Amino acid sequence: MNWSKQFRIKPGRAVRLADRDAGWTDGFKDKDDALDALRENVALMSELQNLLYAERKHALLIVLQGMDASGKDGTIRHVMSGLNPQSCYVRSFKQPTPEEMGHDFLWRIHHVVPARGEIGIFNRSHYEDVLVVRVHDLVPRAIWKRRYDQIKAFEKTLTLNDTVILKFFLHTSRDEQRARLQERLDDPAKRWKVAPSDFTERKYWEAYQEAYEEALTRCSTSAAPWFVIPADHKWFRNWAVSQVIVETLKGLNMKFPKPTYNPADIRIT
Ligand code: ATP
Ligand code: MG
């Protein structure tokens, strides 16, 4: 089964999030079944990362987006846990600094994209500039409206220069967000994760869903596809993200580079 296809948004297809079940878990008997599959994928990702690094032909950029408490941090913790930190890093994008604000919105993004051989993971991304910025009118409509085309052109440039881009929208339901926010309030080990603003932000749920729908619809391209991952069940989310990464890396048909010397000629003294 090609799972990537299952979650991928076909270019030009209008996305309606309400029609997609955030609690979908097809393909598994139970949670343990999925945990086994995740463990296998984590091991495969480690091997494939090693090949990516050795070959240095492609960079891999993984973009994670989703509502508050959708599990961006958890995905990084559980799915990326087997990766070698030597050629992998995470960038989190918060409110832009004054210096970043002085530049175009892609400036802070472009200089931290992964190099060939590396895996870069974005916890939030340039999409915030058509999400939070749109929902809260942080710039005039005419300005954010132009950004979809700029994002597509930027991502096209990256892919034409050997960067493989995978963009994951962690699709959670409003009820699940409520439960997770409540849990963060109740659990002393999780309280640090929430700020009062997370609770007020929830009021903008519909506006965010609309903003996401437009971003997913307009910016899912064959070169840089969006994947909508059912994310109400953490175990399914983790497996699904790992599965798309594994399928994509396998599809690159990577090979270890041939040595530029004849190993038989070398005598180790
Ligand atoms: P966590 O809460 O799990 O630690 P987070 O990504 O929510 O992670 P916060 O510091 O809570 O981190 O929030 C970062 C905030 O920065 C988010 O509300 C996000 O929408 C905002 N942000 C990111 N990029 C931009 C941008 N370009 N313009 C304005 N706000 C942005
Ligand atoms: Mg937050």
Side-chain angles (χ1 to χ4, degrees), residues 68-69 72 94 124 184 193-195 197-198:
D68 284 321
K72 300 182 287 292
K94 312 273 180 184
R124 303 187 188 269
R184 289 180 183 187
K193 263 185 157 291
V194 272
S197 62
D198 289 332

Side-chain angles (χ1 to χ4, degrees), residues 32-256:
D32 285 343
D33 198 19
L35 289 181
D36 288 345
L38 172 65
R39 218 166 293 129
E40 235 170 78
N41 278 347
V42 167
L44 279 171
M45 279 169 63
S46 169
E47 283 174 31
L48 290 160
Q49 176 195 21
N50 194 31
L51 258 176
L52 187 88
Y53 185 62
E55 207 189 45
R56 288 184 203 240
K57 273 196 187 163
H58 308 274
L60 175 63
L61 174 60
I62 296 170
V63 170
L64 294 172
Q65 287 282 167
M67 302 293 287
D68 284 321
S70 60
K72 300 182 287 292
D73 291 352
T75 302
I76 293 169
R77 192 139 67 100
H78 295 285
V79 180
M80 316 301 174
S81 56
L83 296 179
N84 177 352
Q86 177 143 266
S87 62
C88 166
Y89 59 84
V90 181
R91 301 273 172 202
S92 297
F93 295 96
K94 312 273 180 184
Q95 282 174 8
T97 62
E99 189 192 17
E100 289 168 347
M101 289 290 267
H103 293 81
D104 71 89
F105 75 104
L106 293 168
W107 177 80
R108 68 173 181 161
I109 307 291
H110 202 164
H111 80 276
V112 292
V113 296
R116 293 180 189 88
E118 291 179 346
I119 299 178
I121 300 158
F122 284 2
N123 182 349
R124 303 187 188 269
S125 65
H126 43 301
Y127 281 93
E128 292 292 324
D129 290 280
V130 289
L131 295 165
V132 65
V133 166
R134 164 180 168 152
V135 169
H136 289 288
D137 296 316
L138 300 182
V139 300
R141 181 184 174 87
I143 295 199
W144 61 253
K145 273 275 171 196
R146 299 203 285 258
R147 290 183 172 166
Y148 299 99
D149 286 339
Q150 293 172 55
I151 288 174
K152 275 199 284 186
F154 168 64
E155 292 179 352
K156 181 89 190 162
T157 300
L158 294 182
T159 58
L160 287 174
N161 288 280
D162 309 317
T163 302
V164 176
I165 306 180
L166 300 175
K167 302 177 292 193
F168 295 103
F169 171 65
L170 307 181
H171 179 35
T172 38
S173 65
R174 208 172 172 195
D175 285 346
E176 181 62 21
Q177 189 195 48
R178 171 192 293 280
R180 290 187 191 177
L181 289 177
Q182 188 62 52
E183 197 188 325
R184 289 180 183 187
L185 279 181
D186 296 342
D187 183 347
K190 289 190 177 167
R191 282 183 195 142
W192 64 273
K193 263 185 157 291
V194 272
S197 62
D198 289 332
F199 303 95
T200 46
E201 212 51 15
R202 197 173 138 78
K203 295 196 195 115
Y204 298 94
W205 181 273
E206 278 310 321
Y208 269 108
Q209 297 289 297
E210 274 170 35
Y212 267 113
E213 283 174 348
E214 186 159 359
L216 297 167
T217 299
R218 294 188 59 177
C219 300
S220 194
T221 58
S222 50
W226 268 111
F227 298 87
V228 175
I229 302 294
D232 270 2
H233 296 283
K234 295 172 184 174
W235 50 269
F236 185 83
R237 170 202 79 202
N238 290 339
W239 168 79
V241 170
S242 72
Q243 184 65 20
V244 173
I245 296 172
V246 165
E247 286 178 10
T248 304
L249 288 176
K250 278 187 176 166
L252 296 177
N253 293 315
M254 297 181 285
K255 305 260 179 311
F256 286 112

